[in-house]
Amino acid sequence: MQRAIVEAATGGKHVLGILPTGTGKSLCYQIPALSRYEKTGALTVVIPPLVALMADQVAGLDARGIGCCVTINGLLSMPERADALDRVRLGGAGILIISPEQLRSRSLRRVLAQREIGAWVVDEAHCLSHWGHDFRTDYRYVGRFIREKAGDEPAPPVMCLTATAKPDVIEDVVRHFREELGIELTVFDGGGKDVT
């Protein structure tokens, strides 16, 4: 399933991948993101719900000698935030991990305006659904922000990943991007557990 998702993402398709916890969902976006950054310098923006997930992603890549992953969240000090924004703006970041609330930040929006966005990744995508157990209203803004950032151009590839999704949650996520961006997500259901 990972291979199919990576191939679809690398081919520019919009995807929703449902894979159980511990099966390597992160690799599904990291491989295309790193390849894209190496070839074109484009930035992949990843939106997970928890600061702990952000820190784990950065630490995991750093441990493998991959230093082009940056996170921006509300827990950074002002100097740390300024440094992270500079790395993104100057092209030193290939993967930017942010919480959905950061999309309201003017400083982040200014920096993103200076970079080519190669893909958008929504981790724990069930949070986009009002049926999702961790519903956060800022997630509902993600599609609109992507559309605004794309302007008149087609939206870059969108990848949604989750371990938990009932059929109504899947439909909610697919509908969100259909209505906000006019795109269809190809669903790869690898047997993730249902939301209870």
Side-chain angles (χ1 to χ4, degrees), residues 35-82:
S35 173
R36 190 178 298 114
Y37 180 59
E38 179 70 26
K39 291 177 183 173
T40 69
L43 179 69
T44 296
V45 180
V46 183
I47 305 172
L50 302 172
V51 172
L53 292 175
M54 298 178 197
D56 286 349
Q57 294 297 314
V58 174
L61 288 170
D62 278 346
R64 290 174 180 81
I66 300 168
C68 66
C69 185
V70 173
T71 185
I72 298 176
N73 59 63
L75 297 181
L76 297 180
S77 68
M78 292 302 284
E80 288 170 331
R81 183 179 179 86

Side-chain angles (χ1 to χ4, degrees), residues 138-174:
D138 280 290
Y139 263 90
R140 300 301 282 180
Y141 180 61
V142 169
R144 187 169 75 208
F145 183 84
I146 294 170
R147 185 183 71 233
E148 289 170 2
K149 175 74 175 81
D152 295 332
E153 299 295 317
V158 172
M159 175 184 286
C160 296
L161 298 167
T162 187
T164 54
K166 287 182 176 178
D168 51 358
V169 172
I170 293 170
E171 180 52 36
D172 228 12
V173 172
V174 169

Side-chain angles (χ1 to χ4, degrees), residues 45-49 96-100 103 120-124 139 142:
V45 180
V46 183
I47 305 172
L96 172 62
I97 304 177
I98 58 171
S99 65
L103 294 175
W120 294 89
V121 178
V122 181
D123 197 9
E124 304 299 336
Y139 263 90
V142 169

Side-chain angles (χ1 to χ4, degrees), residues 102-122:
Q102 290 296 317
L103 294 175
R104 291 184 272 145
S105 163
R106 288 190 179 128
S107 59
L108 179 68
R109 292 168 71 104
R110 281 193 298 270
V111 165
L112 290 180
Q114 298 176 46
R115 288 291 303 274
E116 176 190 352
I117 306 298
W120 294 89
V121 178
V122 181

